[in-house]
Amino acid sequence: MAGLVSARANPIYSSHNLRRSPLPRPMASRALEIPYKHPAIALRPSKSLSFVAASLQPSKTISAGQFSNTLPTEEVLNIWRSAGAVCFDVDSTVCLDEGIDELADFCGAGKAVAEWTTKAMSGSVPFEEALAARLSLFNPSLSQVQDFLDKRPPRISPGIAGLIKKLMAKNIDVYLVSGGFRQMINPVALQLGIPLENIFANQLLFGSSGEFIGFDAKEPTSRSGGKATAVQQIRKVHNYKALVMIGDGATDLEARKPGGADLFICYAGVQLREAVAAKADWLIFDFEELITSL
């Protein structure tokens, strides 16, 4: 694909102060990563505080006893406290929003794309099919992505910064494993102090004139089971004795498998996906639960 814009030209994304050599990422140099211009966590000026507060509530009212996994077992607590690494989903977990939905909304295709996101997160369609379908609905250009990042900085979930700070203070490594895009996740990592080498996510690809030409299909997170593959790679390279995955969707649940995550914690503080929540080892609605249990 000659004519692609270089991904690593900006010095803000150099690998200084990173703790490890990154795992191989095919074609990573072929997608543009956009400098982040908003170091402070901010709410979008177009949304009221009442809207933000409402967005933190699960999508459905929880009845007493609906789930049996809101209190962790002793075994679950032991794994959580002994973990050498914690992998976080980004959209609707670390951040309040689904990044691709927000970008689509900014580009005028929000409703149609959000419907596909619901299918992807519930596991009702293959993730790669949903990803391609969503992008084809609005084909974001480089200039649109840059404008989006300027005008809609990421909204970080309450409590996540404190949790990540405490994990790092205990020398527990933190990773972001997402079906979203590096261009939108790098700013989140920078805010939270997570090394950019610890991001495993997809790449938007642009031509030499900034036109959208697709996404890197060789990234493991671009397809169903991809998060599980990424987590297995992380564990194999670093030989963690225990590893935890935290997220809200079916693709996060998939990461709990032999050689991958020992524990799946479902965070339902933004979106409650009942089929996923029911299968979690531990269901939480507030990151403070994890902070106090460490």
Side-chain angles (χ1 to χ4, degrees), residues 139-192:
N139 296 321
S141 68
L142 173 58
S143 62
Q144 285 178 312
V145 176
Q146 289 174 321
D147 198 26
F148 169 77
L149 290 175
D150 283 344
K151 294 178 179 178
R152 294 193 183 183
R155 301 192 304 155
I156 306 300
S157 294
I160 191 66
L163 174 57
I164 289 174
K165 183 178 180 180
K166 187 164 185 178
L167 289 170
M168 290 181 170
K170 290 180 171 289
N171 295 316
I172 299 170
D173 295 327
V174 175
Y175 295 85
L176 299 179
V177 182
S178 175
F181 300 102
R182 295 181 191 275
Q183 287 92 341
M184 298 157 68
I185 294 172
N186 282 346
V188 176
L190 291 172
Q191 285 189 22
L192 297 173

Side-chain angles (χ1 to χ4, degrees), residues 152-257:
R152 294 193 183 183
R155 301 192 304 155
I156 306 300
S157 294
I160 191 66
L163 174 57
I164 289 174
K165 183 178 180 180
K166 187 164 185 178
L167 289 170
M168 290 181 170
K170 290 180 171 289
N171 295 316
I172 299 170
D173 295 327
V174 175
Y175 295 85
L176 299 179
V177 182
S178 175
F181 300 102
R182 295 181 191 275
Q183 287 92 341
M184 298 157 68
I185 294 172
N186 282 346
V188 176
L190 291 172
Q191 285 189 22
L192 297 173
I194 299 170
L196 297 183
E197 68 175 18
N198 287 12
I199 298 173
F200 294 82
N202 294 314
Q203 294 272 20
L204 291 171
L205 302 178
F206 302 98
S208 57
S209 298
E211 74 277 15
F212 173 73
I213 59 174
F215 62 92
D216 185 354
K218 292 186 179 180
E219 289 281 3
T221 52
S222 69
R223 52 189 177 270
S224 294
K227 285 187 181 181
T229 299
V231 170
Q232 287 175 321
Q233 289 177 349
I234 290 168
R235 185 160 190 172
K236 182 177 181 180
V237 168
H238 301 296
N239 196 30
Y240 294 117
K241 292 184 178 179
L243 187 150
V244 175
M245 180 75 202
I246 301 175
D248 70 296
T251 56
D252 306 309
L253 174 63
E254 289 176 341
R256 185 188 62 192
K257 63 190 317 181

Side-chain angles (χ1 to χ4, degrees), residues 18-32:
L18 301 184
R19 292 173 290 172
R20 297 188 178 81
S21 299
L23 297 178
R25 296 193 187 100
M27 298 174 64
S29 63
R30 295 168 56 180
L32 184 80

Side-chain angles (χ1 to χ4, degrees), residues 68-77 79-80 243-247 252-253 255-257 261-267 276-284 290:
S68 62
N69 53 355
T70 55
L71 293 177
T73 65
E74 192 65 30
E75 180 183 7
V76 165
L77 282 175
I79 296 173
W80 170 238
L243 187 150
V244 175
M245 180 75 202
I246 301 175
D252 306 309
L253 174 63
R256 185 188 62 192
K257 63 190 317 181
D262 300 283
L263 192 70
F264 170 60
I265 299 174
C266 179
Y267 174 67
V276 176
K279 296 177 182 178
D281 298 295
W282 187 3
L283 172 62
I284 65 165
L290 299 183

